Short mmCIF file of all heavy atoms in Angstrom, two decimals:
data_model
loop_
_atom_site.label_atom_id
_atom_site.label_comp_id
_atom_site.label_asym_id
_atom_site.label_seq_id
_atom_site.Cartn_x
_atom_site.Cartn_y
_atom_site.Cartn_z
N LEU L 19 117.54 -109.76 -60.53
CA LEU L 19 117.58 -110.41 -59.19
C LEU L 19 116.56 -109.94 -58.26
O LEU L 19 116.52 -108.71 -58.02
CB LEU L 19 118.96 -110.28 -58.63
CG LEU L 19 119.27 -110.92 -57.29
CD1 LEU L 19 119.15 -112.44 -57.35
CD2 LEU L 19 120.68 -110.59 -56.79
N ALA L 20 115.74 -110.78 -57.79
CA ALA L 20 114.60 -110.35 -56.80
C ALA L 20 114.98 -110.74 -55.41
O ALA L 20 115.36 -111.94 -55.20
CB ALA L 20 113.33 -111.00 -57.23
N LEU L 21 114.92 -109.83 -54.52
CA LEU L 21 115.31 -110.14 -53.11
C LEU L 21 114.09 -109.89 -52.21
O LEU L 21 113.30 -109.00 -52.51
CB LEU L 21 116.37 -109.29 -52.62
CG LEU L 21 117.73 -109.35 -53.46
CD1 LEU L 21 118.76 -108.39 -52.98
CD2 LEU L 21 118.32 -110.80 -53.33
N HIS L 22 114.02 -110.69 -51.20
CA HIS L 22 112.95 -110.50 -50.18
C HIS L 22 113.44 -109.71 -48.87
O HIS L 22 112.69 -109.70 -47.96
CB HIS L 22 112.41 -111.84 -49.72
CG HIS L 22 111.69 -112.54 -50.89
ND1 HIS L 22 110.37 -112.31 -51.28
CD2 HIS L 22 112.14 -113.46 -51.82
CE1 HIS L 22 110.08 -112.99 -52.35
NE2 HIS L 22 111.10 -113.67 -52.61
N GLU L 23 114.61 -109.24 -48.97
CA GLU L 23 115.17 -108.72 -47.72
C GLU L 23 116.18 -107.58 -48.15
O GLU L 23 116.89 -107.70 -49.18
CB GLU L 23 115.98 -109.76 -46.83
CG GLU L 23 116.55 -109.15 -45.64
CD GLU L 23 117.23 -110.30 -44.92
OE1 GLU L 23 116.47 -111.04 -44.15
OE2 GLU L 23 118.48 -110.61 -45.04
N GLY L 24 116.21 -106.45 -47.49
CA GLY L 24 117.11 -105.35 -47.68
C GLY L 24 117.60 -104.81 -46.44
O GLY L 24 117.02 -104.95 -45.32
N ALA L 25 118.81 -104.14 -46.44
CA ALA L 25 119.40 -103.62 -45.27
C ALA L 25 119.84 -102.14 -45.47
O ALA L 25 120.18 -101.90 -46.66
CB ALA L 25 120.55 -104.44 -44.84
N LEU L 26 119.84 -101.40 -44.46
CA LEU L 26 120.34 -100.04 -44.54
C LEU L 26 120.87 -99.64 -43.14
O LEU L 26 120.60 -100.30 -42.16
CB LEU L 26 119.29 -99.10 -44.95
CG LEU L 26 118.05 -98.95 -44.01
CD1 LEU L 26 117.77 -97.47 -43.94
CD2 LEU L 26 116.96 -99.71 -44.52
N TRP L 27 121.69 -98.60 -43.09
CA TRP L 27 122.21 -98.02 -41.85
C TRP L 27 121.68 -96.64 -41.74
O TRP L 27 121.64 -95.84 -42.67
CB TRP L 27 123.76 -98.00 -41.89
CG TRP L 27 124.46 -99.26 -41.93
CD1 TRP L 27 124.66 -100.14 -42.83
CD2 TRP L 27 124.89 -100.00 -40.74
NE1 TRP L 27 125.27 -101.28 -42.48
CE2 TRP L 27 125.47 -101.17 -41.12
CE3 TRP L 27 125.00 -99.61 -39.32
CZ2 TRP L 27 126.13 -102.13 -40.30
CZ3 TRP L 27 125.68 -100.53 -38.50
CH2 TRP L 27 126.05 -101.72 -38.98
N LEU L 28 121.30 -96.34 -40.48
CA LEU L 28 120.90 -94.90 -40.16
C LEU L 28 121.84 -94.43 -39.03
O LEU L 28 122.20 -95.24 -38.13
CB LEU L 28 119.42 -94.90 -39.73
CG LEU L 28 118.41 -95.11 -40.79
CD1 LEU L 28 116.94 -95.14 -40.17
CD2 LEU L 28 118.51 -94.20 -41.95
N TYR L 29 122.16 -93.22 -39.04
CA TYR L 29 122.98 -92.56 -38.03
C TYR L 29 122.10 -91.51 -37.23
O TYR L 29 121.52 -90.65 -37.85
CB TYR L 29 124.11 -91.79 -38.70
CG TYR L 29 125.02 -91.22 -37.63
CD1 TYR L 29 126.09 -91.97 -37.07
CD2 TYR L 29 124.89 -89.87 -37.22
CE1 TYR L 29 126.89 -91.49 -36.08
CE2 TYR L 29 125.83 -89.39 -36.23
CZ TYR L 29 126.77 -90.13 -35.73
OH TYR L 29 127.59 -89.68 -34.75
N GLY L 30 122.18 -91.75 -35.84
CA GLY L 30 121.39 -90.80 -35.03
C GLY L 30 120.72 -91.49 -33.85
O GLY L 30 121.08 -92.66 -33.54
N SER L 31 119.80 -90.85 -33.20
CA SER L 31 118.95 -91.32 -32.18
C SER L 31 117.62 -90.67 -32.21
O SER L 31 117.42 -89.58 -32.83
CB SER L 31 119.69 -91.10 -30.82
OG SER L 31 119.79 -89.79 -30.54
N GLY L 32 116.68 -91.17 -31.49
CA GLY L 32 115.29 -90.68 -31.37
C GLY L 32 114.44 -91.60 -32.21
O GLY L 32 114.42 -92.84 -32.16
N THR L 33 113.45 -91.02 -32.98
CA THR L 33 112.51 -91.81 -33.69
C THR L 33 112.98 -91.99 -35.18
O THR L 33 112.98 -91.06 -35.92
CB THR L 33 111.09 -91.01 -33.72
OG1 THR L 33 110.75 -90.88 -32.42
CG2 THR L 33 110.13 -92.00 -34.39
N ALA L 34 113.24 -93.18 -35.47
CA ALA L 34 113.65 -93.48 -36.90
C ALA L 34 112.43 -93.77 -37.65
O ALA L 34 111.42 -94.35 -37.13
CB ALA L 34 114.57 -94.73 -36.89
N GLU L 35 112.31 -93.22 -39.01
CA GLU L 35 111.12 -93.45 -39.75
C GLU L 35 111.52 -94.09 -41.02
O GLU L 35 112.51 -93.64 -41.60
CB GLU L 35 110.46 -92.16 -40.00
CG GLU L 35 110.06 -91.38 -38.76
CD GLU L 35 109.26 -90.04 -39.09
OE1 GLU L 35 109.56 -89.44 -40.12
OE2 GLU L 35 108.39 -89.59 -38.30
N LEU L 36 110.86 -95.08 -41.41
CA LEU L 36 111.05 -95.77 -42.70
C LEU L 36 109.67 -95.67 -43.45
O LEU L 36 108.68 -96.12 -42.98
CB LEU L 36 111.36 -97.30 -42.49
CG LEU L 36 112.50 -97.64 -41.68
CD1 LEU L 36 112.67 -99.13 -41.59
CD2 LEU L 36 113.78 -96.99 -42.20
N GLU L 37 109.66 -94.95 -44.55
CA GLU L 37 108.47 -94.77 -45.37
C GLU L 37 108.56 -95.88 -46.35
O GLU L 37 109.46 -96.02 -47.19
CB GLU L 37 108.39 -93.43 -45.94
CG GLU L 37 107.01 -93.31 -46.74
CD GLU L 37 106.89 -91.93 -47.20
OE1 GLU L 37 107.69 -90.98 -47.03
OE2 GLU L 37 105.90 -91.71 -47.90
N LEU L 38 107.50 -96.85 -46.38
CA LEU L 38 107.47 -97.96 -47.31
C LEU L 38 106.17 -97.88 -48.15
O LEU L 38 105.21 -97.32 -47.73
CB LEU L 38 107.52 -99.26 -46.53
CG LEU L 38 108.62 -99.46 -45.54
CD1 LEU L 38 108.42 -100.61 -44.57
CD2 LEU L 38 109.94 -99.64 -46.26
N GLU L 39 106.28 -98.65 -49.30
CA GLU L 39 105.15 -98.68 -50.16
C GLU L 39 104.99 -100.13 -50.81
O GLU L 39 106.03 -100.64 -51.13
CB GLU L 39 105.34 -97.69 -51.34
CG GLU L 39 104.04 -97.56 -52.19
CD GLU L 39 104.25 -96.58 -53.23
OE1 GLU L 39 105.26 -96.56 -54.03
OE2 GLU L 39 103.36 -95.58 -53.31
N SER L 40 103.81 -100.57 -50.73
CA SER L 40 103.55 -101.91 -51.34
C SER L 40 102.43 -101.87 -52.34
O SER L 40 101.39 -101.11 -52.08
CB SER L 40 103.30 -102.91 -50.33
OG SER L 40 103.00 -104.23 -50.83
N ALA L 41 102.43 -102.50 -53.38
CA ALA L 41 101.28 -102.48 -54.45
C ALA L 41 100.03 -103.33 -53.93
O ALA L 41 98.95 -103.11 -54.37
CB ALA L 41 101.73 -103.06 -55.72
N ALA L 42 100.31 -104.30 -53.03
CA ALA L 42 99.20 -105.16 -52.57
C ALA L 42 99.43 -105.38 -50.98
O ALA L 42 100.54 -105.17 -50.46
CB ALA L 42 99.37 -106.45 -53.22
N PRO L 43 98.36 -105.69 -50.33
CA PRO L 43 98.52 -105.89 -48.81
C PRO L 43 99.55 -107.02 -48.56
O PRO L 43 99.57 -108.02 -49.24
CB PRO L 43 97.09 -106.36 -48.35
CG PRO L 43 96.19 -105.87 -49.44
CD PRO L 43 97.01 -105.89 -50.74
N THR L 44 100.43 -106.72 -47.64
CA THR L 44 101.54 -107.74 -47.33
C THR L 44 101.97 -107.46 -45.96
O THR L 44 101.75 -106.40 -45.33
CB THR L 44 102.70 -107.48 -48.30
OG1 THR L 44 103.63 -108.54 -48.10
CG2 THR L 44 103.36 -106.17 -48.05
N VAL L 45 102.60 -108.49 -45.36
CA VAL L 45 103.31 -108.42 -44.14
C VAL L 45 104.80 -107.95 -44.18
O VAL L 45 105.51 -108.57 -45.01
CB VAL L 45 103.22 -109.74 -43.27
CG1 VAL L 45 103.96 -109.58 -41.90
CG2 VAL L 45 101.75 -110.06 -43.03
N VAL L 46 105.19 -107.05 -43.49
CA VAL L 46 106.56 -106.58 -43.49
C VAL L 46 107.20 -106.77 -42.11
O VAL L 46 106.59 -106.37 -41.15
CB VAL L 46 106.67 -105.10 -43.91
CG1 VAL L 46 108.02 -104.61 -43.89
CG2 VAL L 46 106.02 -104.88 -45.27
N SER L 47 108.32 -107.40 -42.16
CA SER L 47 109.15 -107.46 -40.78
C SER L 47 110.35 -106.54 -40.90
O SER L 47 111.02 -106.45 -41.87
CB SER L 47 109.60 -108.95 -40.76
OG SER L 47 108.52 -109.78 -40.65
N ILE L 48 110.58 -105.86 -39.76
CA ILE L 48 111.72 -105.01 -39.62
C ILE L 48 112.51 -105.34 -38.40
O ILE L 48 111.90 -105.68 -37.38
CB ILE L 48 111.21 -103.54 -39.47
CG1 ILE L 48 110.38 -103.22 -40.76
CG2 ILE L 48 112.33 -102.58 -39.28
CD1 ILE L 48 109.74 -101.83 -40.75
N TYR L 49 113.81 -105.28 -38.59
CA TYR L 49 114.69 -105.48 -37.40
C TYR L 49 115.64 -104.20 -37.37
O TYR L 49 116.09 -103.74 -38.24
CB TYR L 49 115.59 -106.67 -37.72
CG TYR L 49 114.75 -107.93 -37.78
CD1 TYR L 49 114.28 -108.31 -39.04
CD2 TYR L 49 114.56 -108.82 -36.66
CE1 TYR L 49 113.40 -109.38 -39.08
CE2 TYR L 49 113.79 -109.93 -36.80
CZ TYR L 49 113.30 -110.27 -38.05
OH TYR L 49 112.55 -111.41 -38.19
N ALA L 50 115.70 -103.69 -36.08
CA ALA L 50 116.51 -102.46 -35.84
C ALA L 50 117.56 -102.91 -34.73
O ALA L 50 117.03 -103.30 -33.65
CB ALA L 50 115.56 -101.33 -35.40
N ASP L 51 118.73 -102.60 -34.97
CA ASP L 51 119.79 -103.00 -34.00
C ASP L 51 119.68 -104.40 -33.55
O ASP L 51 119.84 -104.72 -32.32
CB ASP L 51 119.74 -102.03 -32.81
CG ASP L 51 120.31 -100.64 -33.05
OD1 ASP L 51 121.04 -100.49 -34.05
OD2 ASP L 51 120.10 -99.72 -32.22
N ALA L 52 119.32 -105.38 -34.48
CA ALA L 52 119.28 -106.76 -34.35
C ALA L 52 118.03 -107.24 -33.38
O ALA L 52 118.05 -108.26 -32.86
CB ALA L 52 120.52 -107.32 -33.77
N ARG L 53 117.18 -106.28 -33.21
CA ARG L 53 115.94 -106.66 -32.48
C ARG L 53 114.67 -106.42 -33.34
O ARG L 53 114.59 -105.61 -34.17
CB ARG L 53 115.74 -105.89 -31.16
CG ARG L 53 115.61 -104.32 -31.42
CD ARG L 53 115.57 -103.62 -29.99
NE ARG L 53 115.61 -102.21 -30.26
CZ ARG L 53 114.62 -101.45 -30.41
NH1 ARG L 53 113.37 -101.87 -30.37
NH2 ARG L 53 114.81 -100.11 -30.68
N ALA L 54 113.82 -107.42 -33.23
CA ALA L 54 112.60 -107.44 -34.08
C ALA L 54 111.62 -106.39 -33.62
O ALA L 54 111.39 -106.14 -32.46
CB ALA L 54 111.92 -108.79 -34.02
N VAL L 55 111.10 -105.73 -34.58
CA VAL L 55 110.03 -104.77 -34.40
C VAL L 55 108.72 -105.48 -34.78
O VAL L 55 108.73 -106.34 -35.65
CB VAL L 55 110.19 -103.49 -35.33
CG1 VAL L 55 109.11 -102.53 -35.22
CG2 VAL L 55 111.63 -102.80 -34.98
N GLU L 56 107.59 -105.22 -34.08
CA GLU L 56 106.42 -105.94 -34.38
C GLU L 56 106.05 -105.89 -35.84
O GLU L 56 106.16 -104.79 -36.51
CB GLU L 56 105.19 -105.34 -33.64
CG GLU L 56 104.02 -106.22 -33.73
CD GLU L 56 103.01 -106.00 -32.56
OE1 GLU L 56 103.48 -105.50 -31.56
OE2 GLU L 56 101.80 -106.06 -32.81
N PRO L 57 105.76 -107.08 -36.59
CA PRO L 57 105.46 -107.06 -37.92
C PRO L 57 104.28 -106.08 -38.33
O PRO L 57 103.40 -105.83 -37.48
CB PRO L 57 104.93 -108.46 -38.21
CG PRO L 57 105.64 -109.23 -37.11
CD PRO L 57 105.64 -108.33 -35.97
N VAL L 58 104.33 -105.51 -39.53
CA VAL L 58 103.40 -104.56 -39.96
C VAL L 58 102.70 -105.03 -41.14
O VAL L 58 103.19 -105.66 -42.06
CB VAL L 58 104.11 -103.20 -40.32
CG1 VAL L 58 103.14 -102.20 -40.92
CG2 VAL L 58 104.83 -102.72 -39.11
N ILE L 59 101.35 -104.94 -41.25
CA ILE L 59 100.53 -105.22 -42.41
C ILE L 59 100.52 -103.82 -43.13
O ILE L 59 99.86 -102.94 -42.72
CB ILE L 59 99.09 -105.69 -42.06
CG1 ILE L 59 99.26 -106.99 -41.29
CG2 ILE L 59 98.34 -105.82 -43.38
CD1 ILE L 59 97.92 -107.65 -40.67
N LEU L 60 101.13 -103.87 -44.36
CA LEU L 60 101.26 -102.79 -45.17
C LEU L 60 100.32 -102.92 -46.39
O LEU L 60 100.37 -103.88 -47.18
CB LEU L 60 102.68 -102.58 -45.65
CG LEU L 60 103.09 -101.46 -46.55
CD1 LEU L 60 102.90 -100.16 -45.66
CD2 LEU L 60 104.51 -101.44 -47.04
N ASP L 61 99.50 -101.88 -46.62
CA ASP L 61 98.56 -101.85 -47.72
C ASP L 61 98.70 -100.46 -48.31
O ASP L 61 98.09 -99.41 -47.86
CB ASP L 61 97.12 -102.12 -47.27
CG ASP L 61 96.19 -102.29 -48.54
OD1 ASP L 61 96.63 -102.27 -49.68
OD2 ASP L 61 94.93 -102.28 -48.19
N GLY L 62 99.52 -100.24 -49.41
CA GLY L 62 99.85 -99.01 -49.91
C GLY L 62 101.07 -98.45 -49.35
O GLY L 62 102.07 -98.97 -49.22
N ARG L 63 100.89 -97.09 -48.88
CA ARG L 63 102.09 -96.48 -48.33
C ARG L 63 101.96 -96.19 -46.82
O ARG L 63 100.83 -95.89 -46.35
CB ARG L 63 102.19 -95.15 -48.98
CG ARG L 63 103.51 -94.31 -48.63
CD ARG L 63 103.44 -92.92 -49.35
NE ARG L 63 103.71 -93.19 -50.78
CZ ARG L 63 104.15 -92.25 -51.55
NH1 ARG L 63 104.28 -91.02 -51.20
NH2 ARG L 63 104.43 -92.52 -52.91
N ALA L 64 103.03 -96.39 -46.03
CA ALA L 64 102.94 -96.21 -44.57
C ALA L 64 104.27 -95.81 -44.03
O ALA L 64 105.35 -96.13 -44.66
CB ALA L 64 102.38 -97.48 -43.82
N THR L 65 104.34 -95.06 -42.92
CA THR L 65 105.59 -94.80 -42.20
C THR L 65 105.70 -95.52 -41.05
O THR L 65 104.75 -95.48 -40.15
CB THR L 65 105.61 -93.31 -41.94
OG1 THR L 65 105.60 -92.46 -43.18
CG2 THR L 65 106.99 -92.86 -41.21
N ILE L 66 106.80 -96.32 -40.91
CA ILE L 66 107.02 -97.17 -39.73
C ILE L 66 107.88 -96.39 -38.77
O ILE L 66 108.97 -95.95 -39.25
CB ILE L 66 107.70 -98.48 -40.08
CG1 ILE L 66 106.96 -99.15 -41.23
CG2 ILE L 66 107.76 -99.41 -38.89
CD1 ILE L 66 105.46 -99.35 -41.11
N ARG L 67 107.61 -96.28 -37.57
CA ARG L 67 108.46 -95.44 -36.57
C ARG L 67 109.03 -96.55 -35.46
O ARG L 67 108.34 -97.37 -35.02
CB ARG L 67 107.62 -94.49 -35.87
CG ARG L 67 107.22 -93.37 -36.85
CD ARG L 67 106.25 -92.32 -36.24
NE ARG L 67 105.94 -91.25 -37.15
CZ ARG L 67 105.06 -91.39 -38.20
NH1 ARG L 67 104.31 -92.50 -38.30
NH2 ARG L 67 104.82 -90.44 -38.91
N VAL L 68 110.36 -96.37 -35.32
CA VAL L 68 111.08 -97.07 -34.33
C VAL L 68 111.89 -96.18 -33.35
O VAL L 68 112.76 -95.41 -33.92
CB VAL L 68 111.97 -98.14 -35.05
CG1 VAL L 68 112.71 -98.99 -34.05
CG2 VAL L 68 111.26 -99.00 -36.00
N GLU L 69 111.70 -96.38 -32.06
CA GLU L 69 112.46 -95.55 -31.12
C GLU L 69 113.95 -96.19 -31.03
O GLU L 69 114.02 -97.31 -30.82
CB GLU L 69 111.77 -95.57 -29.76
CG GLU L 69 110.53 -94.74 -29.79
CD GLU L 69 110.71 -93.27 -30.19
OE1 GLU L 69 111.68 -92.66 -29.75
OE2 GLU L 69 109.97 -92.77 -30.99
N ILE L 70 114.82 -95.29 -31.19
CA ILE L 70 116.31 -95.75 -31.01
C ILE L 70 116.84 -94.80 -29.98
O ILE L 70 117.07 -93.60 -30.19
CB ILE L 70 116.99 -95.48 -32.41
CG1 ILE L 70 116.31 -96.30 -33.51
CG2 ILE L 70 118.47 -95.94 -32.30
CD1 ILE L 70 116.41 -97.75 -33.33
N PRO L 71 117.13 -95.39 -28.75
CA PRO L 71 117.62 -94.60 -27.63
C PRO L 71 119.08 -94.07 -27.71
O PRO L 71 119.41 -93.03 -27.13
CB PRO L 71 117.36 -95.40 -26.42
CG PRO L 71 117.48 -96.85 -26.93
CD PRO L 71 116.98 -96.73 -28.40
N ASN L 72 119.92 -94.75 -28.37
CA ASN L 72 121.38 -94.46 -28.40
C ASN L 72 121.79 -93.89 -29.68
O ASN L 72 121.23 -94.22 -30.74
CB ASN L 72 122.14 -95.68 -28.14
CG ASN L 72 121.80 -96.41 -26.76
OD1 ASN L 72 121.53 -95.74 -25.77
ND2 ASN L 72 121.67 -97.78 -26.78
N GLY L 73 122.69 -92.95 -29.60
CA GLY L 73 123.26 -92.34 -30.81
C GLY L 73 124.20 -93.31 -31.56
O GLY L 73 124.54 -94.45 -31.02
N GLY L 74 124.60 -92.89 -32.76
CA GLY L 74 125.56 -93.79 -33.45
C GLY L 74 124.89 -94.35 -34.80
O GLY L 74 123.84 -93.88 -35.13
N ARG L 75 125.47 -95.36 -35.24
CA ARG L 75 125.02 -96.03 -36.46
C ARG L 75 124.18 -97.17 -36.04
O ARG L 75 124.51 -98.00 -35.12
CB ARG L 75 126.17 -96.55 -37.31
CG ARG L 75 127.02 -95.43 -37.90
CD ARG L 75 128.06 -96.00 -38.79
NE ARG L 75 129.24 -95.01 -39.01
CZ ARG L 75 129.01 -93.97 -39.85
NH1 ARG L 75 127.92 -93.90 -40.51
NH2 ARG L 75 130.00 -93.16 -40.05
N HIS L 76 123.12 -97.42 -36.83
CA HIS L 76 122.10 -98.45 -36.45
C HIS L 76 121.68 -99.16 -37.70
O HIS L 76 121.27 -98.61 -38.77
CB HIS L 76 120.77 -97.86 -35.91
CG HIS L 76 121.09 -97.03 -34.63
ND1 HIS L 76 121.33 -97.57 -33.51
CD2 HIS L 76 121.31 -95.69 -34.49
CE1 HIS L 76 121.57 -96.59 -32.54
NE2 HIS L 76 121.58 -95.47 -33.15
N PRO L 77 121.93 -100.54 -37.66
CA PRO L 77 121.51 -101.31 -38.87
C PRO L 77 120.02 -101.64 -38.81
O PRO L 77 119.34 -101.94 -37.76
CB PRO L 77 122.23 -102.67 -38.61
CG PRO L 77 122.47 -102.80 -37.14
CD PRO L 77 122.61 -101.39 -36.76
N PHE L 78 119.32 -101.60 -40.03
CA PHE L 78 117.95 -101.96 -40.12
C PHE L 78 117.87 -103.04 -41.24
O PHE L 78 118.58 -102.95 -42.23
CB PHE L 78 117.13 -100.79 -40.56
CG PHE L 78 116.83 -99.74 -39.48
CD1 PHE L 78 117.88 -98.92 -39.05
CD2 PHE L 78 115.69 -99.68 -38.85
CE1 PHE L 78 117.61 -98.00 -38.07
CE2 PHE L 78 115.33 -98.79 -37.87
CZ PHE L 78 116.39 -97.90 -37.43
N VAL L 79 117.06 -104.01 -41.03
CA VAL L 79 116.80 -105.06 -41.99
C VAL L 79 115.33 -105.02 -42.23
O VAL L 79 114.49 -105.05 -41.36
CB VAL L 79 117.27 -106.41 -41.55
CG1 VAL L 79 116.84 -107.52 -42.59
CG2 VAL L 79 118.80 -106.51 -41.40
N VAL L 80 114.89 -105.03 -43.54
CA VAL L 80 113.46 -104.98 -43.82
C VAL L 80 113.16 -106.19 -44.75
O VAL L 80 114.01 -106.49 -45.70
CB VAL L 80 113.11 -103.66 -44.70
CG1 VAL L 80 111.72 -103.69 -45.12
CG2 VAL L 80 113.47 -102.51 -43.88
N GLN L 81 112.23 -106.98 -44.31
CA GLN L 81 111.86 -108.13 -45.04
C GLN L 81 110.39 -108.10 -45.51
O GLN L 81 109.53 -107.65 -44.81
CB GLN L 81 111.91 -109.40 -44.15
CG GLN L 81 113.36 -109.71 -43.68
CD GLN L 81 113.40 -110.84 -42.67
OE1 GLN L 81 112.49 -111.15 -41.91
NE2 GLN L 81 114.52 -111.45 -42.60
N GLY L 82 110.23 -108.36 -46.81
CA GLY L 82 108.88 -108.23 -47.39
C GLY L 82 108.92 -108.87 -48.80
O GLY L 82 109.92 -109.45 -49.13
N PRO L 83 107.84 -108.73 -49.48
CA PRO L 83 107.75 -109.30 -50.87
C PRO L 83 108.55 -108.51 -51.88
O PRO L 83 108.90 -107.29 -51.69
CB PRO L 83 106.29 -109.25 -51.14
CG PRO L 83 105.77 -108.03 -50.55
CD PRO L 83 106.62 -107.97 -49.19
N VAL L 84 108.87 -109.16 -52.96
CA VAL L 84 109.48 -108.44 -54.10
C VAL L 84 108.50 -107.35 -54.54
O VAL L 84 107.20 -107.51 -54.57
CB VAL L 84 109.79 -109.46 -55.25
CG1 VAL L 84 110.11 -108.70 -56.49
CG2 VAL L 84 110.67 -110.48 -54.79
N GLY L 85 109.03 -106.18 -54.79
CA GLY L 85 108.21 -105.05 -55.19
C GLY L 85 107.98 -104.04 -54.00
O GLY L 85 107.52 -102.95 -54.20
N LEU L 86 108.26 -104.52 -52.74
CA LEU L 86 108.21 -103.54 -51.59
C LEU L 86 109.22 -102.46 -51.78
O LEU L 86 110.36 -102.68 -52.19
CB LEU L 86 108.55 -104.23 -50.34
CG LEU L 86 108.54 -103.45 -49.01
CD1 LEU L 86 107.03 -103.00 -48.72
CD2 LEU L 86 109.14 -104.27 -47.92
N ARG L 87 108.81 -101.10 -51.68
CA ARG L 87 109.71 -100.07 -51.91
C ARG L 87 109.88 -99.24 -50.70
O ARG L 87 109.08 -98.96 -49.96
CB ARG L 87 109.08 -99.17 -53.06
CG ARG L 87 109.02 -99.79 -54.33
CD ARG L 87 108.37 -98.86 -55.37
NE ARG L 87 109.04 -97.53 -55.26
CZ ARG L 87 108.42 -96.44 -55.74
NH1 ARG L 87 107.21 -96.44 -56.22
NH2 ARG L 87 109.08 -95.26 -55.68
N LEU L 88 111.23 -98.88 -50.50
CA LEU L 88 111.63 -97.91 -49.40
C LEU L 88 111.66 -96.60 -50.05
O LEU L 88 112.39 -96.32 -51.02
CB LEU L 88 113.00 -98.32 -48.84
CG LEU L 88 113.49 -97.37 -47.83
CD1 LEU L 88 112.70 -97.28 -46.56
CD2 LEU L 88 114.87 -97.73 -47.39
N LEU L 89 110.78 -95.72 -49.60
CA LEU L 89 110.74 -94.32 -50.18
C LEU L 89 111.61 -93.31 -49.43
O LEU L 89 112.13 -92.41 -50.04
CB LEU L 89 109.25 -93.89 -50.16
CG LEU L 89 108.28 -94.74 -50.94
CD1 LEU L 89 106.81 -94.25 -50.75
CD2 LEU L 89 108.54 -94.86 -52.32
N ARG L 90 111.66 -93.47 -48.19
CA ARG L 90 112.45 -92.56 -47.30
C ARG L 90 112.96 -93.23 -46.08
O ARG L 90 112.07 -94.00 -45.48
CB ARG L 90 111.59 -91.31 -47.04
CG ARG L 90 112.24 -90.16 -46.32
CD ARG L 90 111.31 -89.07 -46.06
NE ARG L 90 110.17 -89.54 -45.18
CZ ARG L 90 110.17 -89.55 -43.89
NH1 ARG L 90 111.26 -89.34 -43.23
NH2 ARG L 90 109.15 -90.00 -43.21
N ALA L 91 114.09 -92.88 -45.45
CA ALA L 91 114.52 -93.42 -44.17
C ALA L 91 115.42 -92.29 -43.56
O ALA L 91 116.10 -91.58 -44.19
CB ALA L 91 115.37 -94.67 -44.41
N GLY L 92 115.05 -92.08 -42.19
CA GLY L 92 115.85 -91.08 -41.48
C GLY L 92 115.25 -90.95 -40.06
O GLY L 92 114.33 -91.63 -39.72
N PHE L 93 115.85 -89.97 -39.38
CA PHE L 93 115.39 -89.71 -38.01
C PHE L 93 114.45 -88.50 -38.05
O PHE L 93 114.80 -87.56 -38.76
CB PHE L 93 116.50 -89.50 -37.03
CG PHE L 93 117.14 -90.81 -36.52
CD1 PHE L 93 118.22 -91.32 -37.19
CD2 PHE L 93 116.53 -91.50 -35.52
CE1 PHE L 93 118.73 -92.58 -36.87
CE2 PHE L 93 117.17 -92.71 -35.10
CZ PHE L 93 118.21 -93.20 -35.71
N ALA L 94 113.41 -88.49 -37.28
CA ALA L 94 112.46 -87.39 -37.20
C ALA L 94 113.08 -86.27 -36.44
O ALA L 94 113.88 -86.50 -35.57
CB ALA L 94 111.17 -87.84 -36.56
#
């Protein structure tokens, strides 16, 4: 089953980091706490940083092509 969207939860506050990897240049859309983060053009490996001011649990949705890999997620 190939999906173009994935979700995860992070707990904490401050700078959330998502390390992503793509085999080819692609546009990745990220939503944090139901708000859109500016789309990112990903070519290879990159760390996306999102400021999260409030503590607690935070939903993240990542949209991209099949084959996009989430390598690491957490707060810095």
Side-chain angles (χ1 to χ4, degrees):
L19 178 64
L21 300 175
H22 295 278
E23 181 175 277
L26 65 140
W27 290 84
L28 293 178
Y29 182 83
S31 64
T33 304
E35 295 184 341
L36 304 177
E37 187 176 354
L38 303 169
E39 183 177 59
S40 176
T44 189
V45 175
V46 177
S47 298
I48 299 173
Y49 298 85
D51 283 341
R53 63 184 168 90
V55 176
E56 188 161 334
V58 174
I59 298 174
L60 183 66
D61 187 7
R63 184 180 289 197
T65 300
I66 312 307
R67 292 173 178 83
V68 181
E69 289 301 318
I70 303 293
N72 303 322
R75 297 185 194 282
H76 304 280
F78 285 77
V79 174
V80 179
Q81 296 175 333
V84 172
L86 178 67
R87 294 181 48 204
L88 174 66
L89 303 174
R90 184 182 61 82
F93 280 94

